[in-house]
Amino acid sequence: DQQVKQNSPSLSVQEGRISILNCDYTNSMFDYFLWYKKYPAEGPTFLISISSIKDKNEDGRFTVFLNKSAKHLSLHIVPSQPGDSAVYFCAASAVQSSGTYKYIFGTGTRLKVLA
Amino acid sequence: DTEVTQTPKHLVMGMTNKKSLKCEQHMGHRAMYWYKQKAKKPPELMFVYSYEKLSINESVPSRFSPECPNSSLLNLHLHALQPEDSALYLCASSQEPGTDYGYTFGSGTRLTVV
């Protein structure tokens, strides 16, 4: 049962345009969401996060939007650059009975920014 | 130092071998994690250590044995693995075991079990 889903396995965007990566989740207990970027042969790199009490968080070229009623979040990259080409994972977390938070990752979207 | 260092980067082991994966961070992070990632799949959580104590074990088989000798080190001891255990093993750490902090991931150890 995949609680965090990224339905687009790949996305190609022209340099300078907007990249929109989508993520859907099923567990209403998730209260914190993150986006990670992963290059080949490297570990994931934290990009941006959003708490469930917000609907938008911005950091430079990256903006994350959260629609709690739709259980949907998206990552916007504007303008897209060739160096943004990577696999992007969204992750969601909820506190466990032990008091520790556990992140569940989506399946990833491979973004290719064309020069 | 803002990195999580994992060694070795690659490991090939037989099904009867005993080996260990190592993870080290000097950022003062108090939570450390082991993830397993198969090809074209998301990272899957295996273990969480919070303040050097095991706080989450995601029903991982006992052939995987984590150890946290101190706040900077995390080991994963491997014994009698199966070929299906071949994967990328990622270590991560976070400042506190809570949601306000993103993880810092290591580059991973690519394990092949033959």
Side-chain angles (χ1 to χ4, degrees), chain B residues 3 5-6 11 18 28 33 36 41 43 47 58 65-68 77 92 99:
Chain B
E3 290 186 347
T5 303
Q6 288 187 245
L11 178 62
K18 280 187 183 180
Y33 313 83
K36 172 181 175 180
K41 297 283 187 182
F47 302 103
E58 289 290 296
S65 174
E67 179 198 17
C68 189
H77 302 298
T99 57

Side-chain angles (χ1 to χ4, degrees), chain A residues 55-108:
Chain A
D55 54 21
K56 178 182 172 181
N57 188 24
E58 214 169 332
D59 185 1
R61 296 186 297 115
F62 301 92
T63 303
V64 56
F65 295 93
L66 175 63
N67 182 333
K68 279 186 295 182
S69 60
K71 295 193 179 70
H72 176 84
L73 67 155
S74 61
L75 175 69
H76 292 210
I77 306 174
V78 182
S80 302
Q81 299 173 354
D84 295 329
S85 298
V87 176
Y88 288 78
F89 290 98
C90 67
S93 75
V95 65
Q96 307 301 299
S97 56
S98 61
T100 305
Y101 289 88
K102 175 175 124 176
Y103 288 109
I104 295 176
F105 283 80
T107 46

Side-chain angles (χ1 to χ4, degrees), chain B residues 15-31:
Chain B
M15 288 189 282
T16 58
N17 290 160
K18 280 187 183 180
K19 296 286 183 183
S20 296
L21 309 185
K22 295 186 184 304
C23 175
E24 191 168 359
Q25 57 87 15
H26 296 286
M27 296 176 280
H29 288 180
R30 303 317 303 267

